[in-house]
Amino acid sequence: MTRRLRPVGLGFAEDAPTRLVFTARASAAPDAVYRALAEEVTGWPSWFRAVTLARPTRGGGGREVRLMGGVRFQETVMAADPGLRYAYRVDETNVPGVRALLEEWLLTPADHSPGTATTTGTPAAPGAAGTPGTLVRWTFAADGPPAFRLALTAARPGLGHSFRTAVRTLDARLAARTRG
């Protein structure tokens, strides 16, 4: 059954009752990471394992997303700031208990120093100091009844692992593009 969620603004990323925040570093530049997030929406399943379908709707103002296990979302894009931020709120879902949900991806330039590990676990190339990498910060902001918030908090380790794996996979794909 599809349920409508409470519409929230971008401020919800900071003041939601439950906020899960994760960070990972990518060796790709912020513009490349942003393109993969916001402009190549249909590519999400190739790098974010939990996503089985992602496609833009409403001329790019929305998204339809499906996850493993049959979870479905209809979303509205709330911010699309090239190279900086991509955020969307869930308008409809089949997830029980959730009342409001917003996800925000913040991208910050992060220089790699020689010997600094990238998300692929390999050291940055010699002479790569000053190479524009990206610090990716994903905020998962939600509201629901106490049992939902407790379950979401308990899911934090799994969501964090999924996020870090996704950023590693995305980073490897972006690196292969620049080599190829």
Side-chain angles (χ1 to χ4, degrees):
M1 173 170 80
T2 301
R3 303 170 347 92
R4 297 248 350 129
L5 302 187
R6 181 175 86 242
V8 294
L10 288 171
F12 192 68
E14 296 301 321
D15 60 21
T18 303
R19 295 177 63 247
L20 305 179
V21 181
F22 307 98
T23 60
R25 181 169 280 198
S27 58
D31 286 341
V33 175
Y34 175 83
R35 274 191 304 280
L37 290 171
E39 297 171 9
E40 300 168 358
V41 173
T42 58
W44 279 54
S46 68
W47 57 268
F48 207 129
R49 185 180 304 167
V51 177
T52 61
L53 174 114
R55 66 180 179 161
T57 60
R58 300 190 314 264
R63 302 177 351 145
E64 176 186 359
V65 175
R66 294 184 186 179
L67 305 179
M68 287 183 171
V71 172
R72 295 184 314 271
F73 299 116
Q74 289 293 328
E75 303 169 338
T76 295
V77 174
M78 302 295 292
D81 304 321
L84 301 173
R85 174 173 61 170
Y86 186 57
Y88 43 88
R89 85 164 171 241
V90 175
D91 297 317
E92 295 179 11
T93 186
N94 62 345
V95 175
V98 64
R99 293 181 189 140
L101 177 60
L102 178 105
E103 295 180 44
E104 179 182 60
W105 297 71
L106 293 176
L107 310 174
T108 306
D111 289 341
H112 291 287
S113 301
T116 302
T118 64
T119 57
T120 60
T122 59
T131 301
T134 305
L135 182 64
V136 181
R137 179 179 171 210
W138 178 47
T139 300
F140 190 93
D143 187 21
F148 170 81
R149 293 193 315 259
L150 182 63
L152 189 55
T153 300
R156 175 188 291 273
L159 285 170
H161 175 75
S162 181
F163 164 74
R164 287 185 300 278
T165 300
V167 172
R168 261 193 314 274
T169 304
L170 175 60
D171 198 34
R173 287 182 177 277
L174 294 174
R177 280 186 193 174
T178 58
R179 286 191 305 264

